[in-house]
Amino acid sequence: MTNKNKHDAAWESAWKDLKARVGECQKCDLCRTRTNTVFGQGNIDSPLVFVGEGPGAEEDESGLAFVGRAGQLLTKILSSGDIDRESAFIANVVKCRPPENRTPLPEEMMACGDWLEAQLLLLRPKIVVCLGNVALKWILKTTEGITALRGRWFDWRGIQVFAMFHPSFLLRNDSRSKGSPKDLTWHDVQDLKKRLVSIGD
Ligand code: URA
Ligand code: URA
């Protein structure tokens, strides 16, 4: 099976199959409390994939990633860097909502991470942006946190990885003063845009 042409029958059937398997996944207990799985959505041809943590209440209700308050802020952050969120693909480390929006447990991330890995291997983006600690730690297997690593570029299996603060963290840290998380994120999104331009997108 080739990853090169996402519109060939083999790719399409692998993608559809993955989505169906996520939709009926019972690999961890989060399946008991979910309303919907949240596979992720967006442009499968994009060189850019965003990875968040996991669905919140609105995402669990709608089955779509980043549609609640954090998602609205993400849209604004991206447009401030002249990036249209619809042009990218957006997914999460875990596909089911953790109760009370708690951080996913290590065993939940382990179980669900296989789905994200399969998604990334099929999508083959040029850039993966980790939004917050959970995504960063899942991708890079690092113990260092987002505050130390945001704004920096890494490699994951030949894919360029960029780390940014999670929009929910920015909702809780609203200051725009110099050096604040919002201020740093504003710079990060400009840097991301530059990289997208440099890879020809
Ligand atoms: N937070 C996330 O990490 N992902 C979503 O889809 C929504 C909020
Ligand atoms: N913790 C997170 O998970 N993400 C952030 O962006 C900041 C703190």
Side-chain angles (χ1 to χ4, degrees):
M1 187 188 61
T2 170
N3 288 324
K4 293 239 159 57
N5 185 351
K6 293 176 188 162
H7 300 284
D8 74 16
W11 193 93
E12 278 181 7
S13 110
W15 186 250
K16 218 173 119 189
D17 179 61
L18 183 60
K19 203 167 177 174
R21 289 195 294 148
V22 168
E24 58 199 30
C25 180
Q26 302 197 351
K27 289 204 284 181
C28 81
D29 282 347
L30 294 181
C31 71
R32 297 171 193 267
T33 45
R34 74 176 175 226
T35 311
N36 288 296
T37 56
V38 179
F39 182 70
Q41 79 276 359
N43 177 7
I44 57 166
D45 294 315
S46 180
L48 178 61
V49 172
F50 290 91
V51 178
E53 180 172 325
E58 289 90 343
E59 291 79 18
D60 176 65
E61 273 300 316
S62 65
L64 295 169
F66 280 104
V67 292
R69 274 183 77 216
Q72 287 157 23
L73 180 56
L74 178 63
T75 306
K76 267 171 63 182
I77 292 166
L78 297 182
S79 53
S80 82
D82 195 23
I83 298 169
D84 173 12
R85 80 170 259 178
E86 305 296 328
S87 71
F89 193 86
I90 305 187
N92 285 303
V93 173
V94 298
K95 310 302 192 213
C96 296
R97 182 189 182 199
E100 315 300 326
N101 298 342
R102 63 159 169 73
T103 304
L105 301 172
E107 58 266 32
E108 293 160 355
M109 290 190 245
M110 284 283 284
C112 208
D114 291 346
W115 299 132
L116 178 60
E117 183 171 357
Q119 285 178 304
L120 293 176
L121 294 178
L122 280 168
L123 290 170
R124 294 306 303 167
K126 294 199 174 124
I127 296 174
V128 169
V129 177
C130 296
L131 297 170
N133 266 326
V134 167
L136 182 70
K137 290 187 173 181
W138 187 84
I139 300 259
L140 293 183
K141 311 290 179 239
T142 169
T143 54
E144 275 198 87
I146 191 79
T147 305
L149 299 187
R150 59 134 283 281
R152 289 171 53 185
W153 290 91
F154 305 90
D155 173 86
W156 182 80
R157 303 187 184 184
I159 298 174
Q160 302 177 56
V161 171
F162 191 54
M164 286 175 53
F165 284 121
H166 193 288
S168 301
F169 177 72
L170 299 176
L171 286 171
R172 299 192 299 271
N173 292 271
D174 203 38
S175 161
R176 288 168 186 274
S177 58
K178 200 165 155 46
S180 66
K182 269 200 167 166
D183 177 55
L184 295 170
T185 300
W186 190 84
H187 288 282
D188 291 346
V189 77
Q190 314 296 322
D191 192 11
L192 174 61
K193 175 67 181 187
K194 272 192 215 137
R195 187 68 67 110
L196 278 167
V197 170
S198 80
I199 63 168
D201 234 87

